Amino acid sequence: MSELTHPHIKLPEGSIEKQTSTLNLGPTHPATHGVFQNILELDGERIVSAEQTVGYIHRAFEKLAERRPLYQITTLTDRLNYCSSPINNMGWHMTCEKLLKVKTPKRVDYLRIIIMELARVSDHLICNSIVGVDTGALSVFLYVMQYRELIYEIYEEICGSRLTTNIGRIGGFERNFNNTAFTKLEKFMAEYPKVLKEFETLLTRNRIFMERTIGAGPISAERALNYGFTGPNLRAAGVDYDVRVHSPYSSYEDFDFQIPIGKTGDCYDRFLVRNLEMWESLKIIDEAYKKVQEFKGAEAEVFHADIPEYYLPEKKDVYTKMEALIYHFKIVMGETEIPAGEVYHSVEGGNGELGFYLISDGGRTPYRLHFRRPCFIYYQAYSEITQGSMLSDAIVTLSSLNVIAGEMDA
Amino acid sequence: MSLTNEIIKQRLQEKFGEQVSGFEEPYGMLTFEAPKDHNLKVLQFLFDDAELRFQFLTDLCAVHYPDQAGRELAVVYHLHNLIDNVRIRFKVFTDIASPDVYTATSLYSTANWMERETFDFYGVNFVGHPNLKRILNVDEMDYFPLRKEFPLEDQTRRDKDDEMFGRGGSIN
């Protein structure tokens, strides 16, 4: 820190020039991977202070949610962390189910786990390969993009869309998984481990990569907890907190997996934790898929809970059955009354604990909905963890924190 | 011995007596409230107590209840004891005319932006906050958009001549 108090640039006595230079990193800088700004005060290449400005893409989701029926809020959650939208969607459905006291069938839980873990793999894959890009290794990023594509094809088979998925419904899925979806899943599971292995071979012991990331942007466990870190960033600092284990949802308690942790909380540890988590996710997907295949007969066709007030009936029933027609109308027009209550539910998102705090006063729309957005919360530590480091370290730190502008600004 | 809601409630009542009230357990999460000038004392006690150890601030937000005179704004803290894995919810209510609540930034660094966000949307004035200014909205804004009196756009408005958005124009 002594360099900070004794700047490198010595200006003549009485000079009105300042000793440091200001650099705007963002709002549209390639290193931010999103729209937000860092105003850095630099002494040479060393960062004296950093001030973040966020909110460029604020879309008032919490206000909008106060006028929407529950099912229409799913599309808002897509646009939080758009690298792993299915996790956000499922988190929202589960929040509603908790409020409505709905118990989902086991098969739905397992199918959800498959989707959520695929989303986690794609999220970590993007984040880690972007860390590669920012340290100068573009080819790994381009290479693994193919495999994110395979994941997106699986989403497409289930819900029809790829990035902002709107996948699933309150109570289950909009339709049963078709055979193509399972074939594509099998293809992915057969091909991906080899690629992940190659990905690790390219970067993990790569000397340039190690020297760029080891010791860059470190944070201690104590500071990380005080800053509200969650997800891989907290685990890289050595705290084994994972929502999937601490407050299991969607039958995660049926699965056996480990929580990888790091030690120093720097960019390299975050990278390692994410890679290890991908291996754990693959194990979970494999196990969940086996469990799904074990269902026989009528059970093997179950893909949603039986809650006619909230789950849209089949279209052919709408034309032929009175009840189905009524429910269809009530759901689509948002005329279903939600029971009054106050509920907090969280899921392990791609970059941390994604929480939903929902208050209902018994009306048709939430009275208040608050999203706990993990990267909004941990991004405020950025100025502390980059202070005194080189500009190039700050850029790697930014990408390895996995800050997603959409989630930050809600 | 694991920490239960019953024990937490008992410890709080021993320490603060009548000051903590409104104990509830919606969906299993212990919820209670305290007068707004006691918020820091309660948070500090929950943080320091060797048994309670609520040292992780999960979430902080506000809720607006325009019908409750004198208690229009609620500031809601979600706290987590990561060692015993227990969550609680703590609320303080304030009137909207003087929405001053003590800041929790000295206890939790993470409260900094959470409180700025709460100020930005509800106008809760966090006394002692190091940098209380708007965070997601523009600095020039002179209202607090998540308060209930601030309306969403009227979906039937016709003054916006904008064919792209399906209002007015040749569509109607």
Side-chain angles (χ1 to χ4, degrees):
Chain A
M1 283 294 156
S2 62
E3 288 120 341
L4 291 175
T5 46
H6 299 92
H8 292 101
I9 310 161
K10 291 272 185 266
L11 292 168
E13 198 73 27
S15 170
I16 55 161
E17 303 260 332
K18 49 179 186 147
Q19 306 265 318
T20 54
S21 47
T22 310
L23 181 76
N24 272 313
L25 195 65
T28 51
H29 189 278
T32 58
H33 307 290
V35 197
F36 49 93
Q37 185 185 24
N38 280 291
I39 305 163
L40 306 174
E41 278 300 316
L42 296 173
D43 172 19
E45 259 197 272
R46 211 165 274 278
I47 294 166
V48 181
S49 70
E51 196 198 333
Q52 305 101 304
T53 315
V54 302
Y56 288 94
I57 55 164
H58 175 60
R59 292 145 295 173
F61 285 165
E62 291 174 9
K63 189 77 180 176
L64 287 174
E66 286 175 14
R67 198 168 67 185
R68 293 190 176 200
L70 296 180
Y71 81 98
Q72 288 183 2
I73 295 170
T74 320
T75 51
L76 299 179
T77 65
D78 279 338
R79 286 149 180 85
L80 292 169
N81 180 352
Y82 38 72
C83 288
S84 51
S85 344
I87 302 184
N88 311 347
N89 299 156
M90 301 296 172
W92 169 244
H93 298 320
M94 282 183 256
T95 311
C96 299
E97 285 155 15
K98 195 166 170 182
L99 182 77
L100 305 170
K101 302 198 168 105
V102 174
K103 176 104 183 65
T104 47
K106 278 282 176 192
R107 185 166 185 271
V108 170
D109 287 354
Y110 297 150
L111 291 176
R112 280 182 170 174
I113 283 179
I114 294 179
I115 293 301
M116 285 191 286
E117 292 306 319
L118 283 173
R120 193 178 322 283
V121 169
S122 80
D123 189 277
H124 287 355
L125 191 61
I126 289 305
C127 178
N128 270 354
S129 56
I130 287 288
V131 175
V133 171
D134 288 345
T135 52
L138 189 68
S139 40
V140 280
F141 172 70
L142 294 176
Y143 180 44
V144 298
M145 265 299 186
Q146 293 180 36
Y147 296 88
R148 188 184 78 153
E149 176 65 23
L150 288 186
I151 295 176
Y152 278 14
E153 279 180 19
I154 298 169
Y155 299 164
E156 214 175 349
E157 223 39 70
I158 295 157
C159 69
S161 51
R162 298 156 53 85
L163 187 75
T164 49
T165 46
N166 193 18
I167 197 168
R169 297 289 178 262
I170 297 168
F173 282 92
E174 56 271 50
R175 64 176 75 85
N176 201 355
F177 286 26
N178 57 24
N179 283 331
T180 324
F182 286 126
T183 318
K184 285 188 169 168
L185 180 69
E186 281 164 15
K187 177 172 183 282
F188 173 79
M189 291 301 286
E191 289 178 14
Y192 185 66
K194 217 164 60 211
V195 176
L196 187 54
K197 194 95 197 64
E198 264 179 304
F199 178 75
E200 288 186 324
T201 316
L202 281 164
L203 291 177
T204 310
R205 301 299 292 172
N206 180 321
R207 176 146 177 215
I208 302 169
F209 183 77
M210 286 170 82
E211 290 195 356
R212 284 295 303 277
T213 52
I214 292 176
I219 188 161
S220 69
E222 193 193 347
R223 289 305 292 154
L225 284 172
N226 204 260
Y227 262 123
F229 272 50
T230 42
N233 295 337
L234 178 67
R235 291 190 282 272
V239 182
D240 61 342
Y241 173 60
D242 188 319
V243 186
R244 290 175 292 173
V245 177
H246 281 73
S247 340
Y249 51 90
S250 190
S251 299
Y252 265 111
E253 65 275 15
D254 298 356
F255 292 84
D256 184 24
F257 61 99
Q258 292 182 338
I259 314 176
I261 58 164
K263 202 170 166 188
T264 56
D266 62 3
C267 293
Y268 189 63
D269 275 14
R270 287 195 276 269
F271 172 84
L272 293 182
V273 164
R274 289 205 177 88
N275 270 345
L276 290 169
E277 272 185 24
M278 280 196 263
W279 288 111
E280 294 301 316
S281 292
L282 290 178
K283 260 166 50 189
I284 298 171
I285 298 172
D286 205 42
E287 213 179 317
Y289 184 40
K290 283 202 185 93
K291 284 184 200 277
V292 167
Q293 284 172 317
E294 277 165 19
F295 291 105
K296 292 281 174 272
E299 268 198 327
E301 298 298 317
V302 175
F303 61 96
H304 65 87
D306 185 24
I307 35 164
E309 300 92 328
Y310 295 94
Y311 188 88
L312 273 179
E314 259 192 271
K315 198 70 181 173
K316 66 172 169 38
D317 292 343
V318 176
Y319 294 126
T320 52
K321 292 182 186 144
M322 196 58 185
E323 257 189 8
L325 176 67
I326 293 171
Y327 282 130
H328 178 92
F329 182 81
K330 286 191 76 162
I331 294 170
V332 171
M333 299 306 288
E335 298 194 350
T336 318
E337 249 97 70
I338 313 162
E342 190 173 358
V343 57
Y344 176 83
H345 183 75
S346 58
V347 293
E348 183 68 31
N351 46 6
E353 175 177 344
L354 177 71
F356 301 87
Y357 177 42
L358 171 64
I359 301 177
S360 161
D361 62 349
R364 291 169 178 178
T365 58
Y367 185 77
R368 168 84 166 108
L369 176 63
H370 179 73
F371 301 111
R372 182 204 194 267
R373 290 125 36 221
C375 71
F376 175 78
I377 288 165
Y378 64 64
Y379 182 51
Q380 53 185 316
Y382 185 66
S383 64
E384 185 176 309
I385 62 180
T386 54
Q387 199 179 38
S389 68
M390 303 290 276
L391 175 61
S392 54
D393 288 350
I395 292 194
V396 183
T397 308
L398 195 57
S399 48
S400 106
L401 279 176
N402 200 5
V403 181
I404 311 279
E407 180 174 274
M408 196 154 55
D409 291 352
Chain B
M1 188 188 70
S2 67
L3 192 63
T4 60
N5 287 351
E6 206 45 51
I7 299 172
I8 302 166
K9 186 176 167 185
Q10 208 182 333
R11 294 282 295 147
L12 281 163
Q13 280 173 334
E14 274 168 29
K15 175 81 181 167
F16 294 102
E18 298 290 296
Q19 299 288 357
V20 285
S21 57
F23 284 95
E24 277 181 292
E25 285 185 32
Y27 298 89
M29 195 191 279
L30 183 72
T31 306
F32 65 96
E33 62 171 273
K36 65 172 181 174
D37 43 345
H38 278 66
N39 73 331
L40 267 194
K41 286 180 193 150
V42 174
L43 287 172
Q44 185 83 49
F45 174 70
L46 289 166
F47 191 97
D48 288 338
D49 190 85
E51 201 181 347
L52 299 178
R53 295 181 289 195
F54 284 96
Q55 295 176 352
F56 190 83
L57 178 65
T58 304
D59 197 18
L60 191 165
C61 66
V63 190
H64 186 201
Y65 298 102
D67 301 332
Q68 299 179 9
R71 291 159 55 87
E72 285 98 344
L73 288 175
V75 177
V76 186
Y77 302 87
H78 281 88
L79 300 164
H80 197 167
N81 173 338
L82 290 173
I83 301 155
D84 299 300
N85 193 26
V86 184
R87 290 176 197 267
I88 54 169
R89 186 183 291 131
F90 168 49
K91 294 181 182 179
V92 291
F93 286 88
T94 170
D95 68 314
I96 206 157
S98 59
D100 303 325
V101 176
Y102 292 117
T103 174
T105 41
S106 54
L107 216 49
Y108 304 102
S109 307
T110 184
N112 190 326
W113 281 21
M114 293 180 184
E115 286 180 353
R116 278 178 68 185
E117 191 191 14
T118 309
F119 164 74
D120 195 355
F121 288 105
Y122 285 92
V124 179
N125 180 30
F126 288 96
V127 179
H129 190 283
N131 183 26
L132 194 64
K133 57 179 189 185
R134 289 189 181 270
I135 185 162
L136 293 180
N137 290 310
V138 289
D139 292 341
E140 296 78 31
M141 208 178 216
D142 55 359
Y143 41 82
F144 301 110
L146 268 172
R147 287 189 180 173
K148 291 288 176 190
E149 72 264 18
F150 184 78
L152 274 160
E153 189 185 48
D154 175 11
Q155 291 192 318
T156 58
R157 67 184 278 191
R158 306 179 67 90
D159 55 320
K160 221 175 175 180
D161 185 23
D162 189 348
E163 287 184 50
M164 294 297 285
F165 291 94
R167 298 189 192 92
S170 57
I171 293 166
N172 288 339

